[in-house]
Amino acid sequence: MEELQMYRNEISELGFSIIENIYSPCEIEKIIGCIDQAALSNRETFRKSSDLFAIRQFLKEVPSVQPLVFNNKLKEIIQELFGKDYFVVKSIYFDKPETSNWYVSYHQDLTISVDKKIDREDFGPWTTKQNQFAVQPPINILKSNFTIRIHLDETDENNGALKVIEKSHLKGIYRPETIDWAIETEKVCKVAKGGIMIMKPLTLHGSNRTTNKQRRRVIHIEFSNAKLPEGLNWSEKLNISIA
């Protein structure tokens, strides 16, 4: 329980935390097996290029992976750090190959995925990607949400580990072009295979190109406990059974 309190404090104060040894090597291999089987098909939610393979709506597209991802360790962490009322609202699988030149500049995760577009003053702007609606919600929803990134490979600064700006989640909407490097602290989040990174969506984050010819596979899952206004629903809501 003391360790969990430490992680809770880190997430609250820094905007992120890293927890090792959530999945055994055997569990990781089973998860990868499910993904490799699904990757044999070609679906609308799959994105394949020389720099990146991604599966949007991952937990829906690869349902066999759900009991493996939500093992007892992860469910305990979700319950103890956030509460039983949280549910999945978005999931993506990223595979950055060994020779990838893919990089992501600093940004905050400011949108949520919903089932339709409605006119509301407090929701917007709107975008559409692969027939999925995304919208920037009121900031109180973003403040209560959190993301878990499950690492299927060893990840460091040489193969695209996330770099974050500590405490940036406490500054509301923070435009990357206004970052003052004289006062901000950048942290490269090295995560071992089988570990997870938990992050608040308002934490500024990005990643560099791969330079060591090492693969980086990550499952990105976003959680919320927010009730959306009438007429609007989460496009990928999935309840977690936490016994």
Side-chain angles (χ1 to χ4, degrees):
M1 291 299 289
E2 287 184 8
E3 278 193 349
L4 287 175
Q5 184 60 48
M6 179 189 72
Y7 300 136
R8 186 183 295 111
N9 292 342
E10 287 180 346
I11 295 165
S12 176
E13 295 170 11
L14 301 178
F16 68 97
S17 186
I18 295 167
I19 309 178
E20 306 289 6
N21 301 314
I22 300 303
Y23 299 92
S24 68
C26 180
E27 287 175 312
I28 292 294
E29 289 308 309
K30 287 180 179 179
I31 290 172
I32 291 172
C34 291
I35 296 169
D36 288 347
Q37 183 64 36
L40 296 175
S41 62
N42 189 18
R43 308 177 199 174
E44 190 177 58
T45 52
F46 289 18
R47 173 181 176 178
K48 296 181 180 180
S49 72
S50 60
D51 284 328
L52 183 72
F53 172 46
I55 302 176
R56 292 188 173 275
Q57 301 185 43
F58 172 68
L59 294 174
K60 281 187 176 181
E61 293 287 3
V62 192
S64 59
V65 85
Q66 291 181 22
L68 301 172
V69 167
F70 294 105
N71 66 7
N72 289 335
K73 286 185 177 180
L74 189 68
K75 289 194 289 187
E76 180 185 9
I77 286 169
I78 294 169
Q79 176 179 338
E80 295 298 328
L81 295 188
F82 300 99
K84 289 185 177 182
D85 59 335
Y86 274 81
F87 44 85
V88 173
V89 294
K90 187 175 182 178
S91 61
I92 310 174
Y93 167 72
F94 294 106
D95 179 357
K96 183 183 282 192
E98 295 89 337
T99 58
S100 176
N101 283 318
W102 181 270
Y103 76 96
V104 180
S105 57
Y106 268 112
H107 66 285
Q108 295 172 303
D109 291 337
L110 297 178
T111 63
I112 59 173
S113 297
V114 293
D115 63 336
K116 65 176 75 70
K117 181 178 179 179
I118 63 174
D119 291 326
R120 284 187 61 99
E121 283 188 10
D122 51 346
F123 280 75
W126 292 79
T127 59
T128 306
K129 184 179 290 186
Q130 293 177 311
N131 296 321
Q132 185 168 297
F133 293 99
V135 63
Q136 184 170 322
I139 197 168
N140 64 295
I141 292 179
L142 296 175
K143 286 181 176 179
S144 65
N145 289 1
F146 69 94
T147 297
I148 292 180
R149 293 170 58 88
I150 300 165
H151 286 252
L152 307 181
D153 297 293
E154 299 285 331
T155 308
D156 60 24
E157 66 274 16
N158 299 309
N159 67 333
L162 275 195
K163 51 185 183 178
V164 302
I165 295 181
E166 296 180 346
K167 303 183 180 180
S168 54
H169 69 300
L170 302 174
K171 300 181 179 182
I173 306 300
Y174 192 170
R175 300 300 177 190
E177 61 271 17
T178 67
I179 297 172
D180 183 353
W181 291 109
I183 62 172
E184 300 294 9
T185 301
E186 179 181 88
K187 168 75 173 179
V188 175
C189 299
K190 301 179 184 180
V191 185
K193 180 177 180 177
I196 65 173
M197 176 185 177
I198 303 176
M199 181 177 68
K200 301 296 290 181
L202 290 175
T203 301
L204 275 165
H205 60 285
S207 64
N208 294 332
R209 292 181 173 90
T210 297
T211 60
N212 65 353
K213 300 188 183 301
Q214 296 296 314
R215 196 174 186 180
R216 190 208 70 178
R217 289 168 290 185
V218 174
I219 298 169
H220 170 111
I221 308 176
E222 299 177 14
F223 298 81
S224 183
N225 65 347
K227 183 178 180 181
L228 297 178
E230 186 175 353
L232 196 62
N233 300 294
W234 299 100
S235 66
E236 202 180 336
K237 183 175 181 180
L238 175 68
N239 290 311
I240 309 158
S241 175
I242 300 178

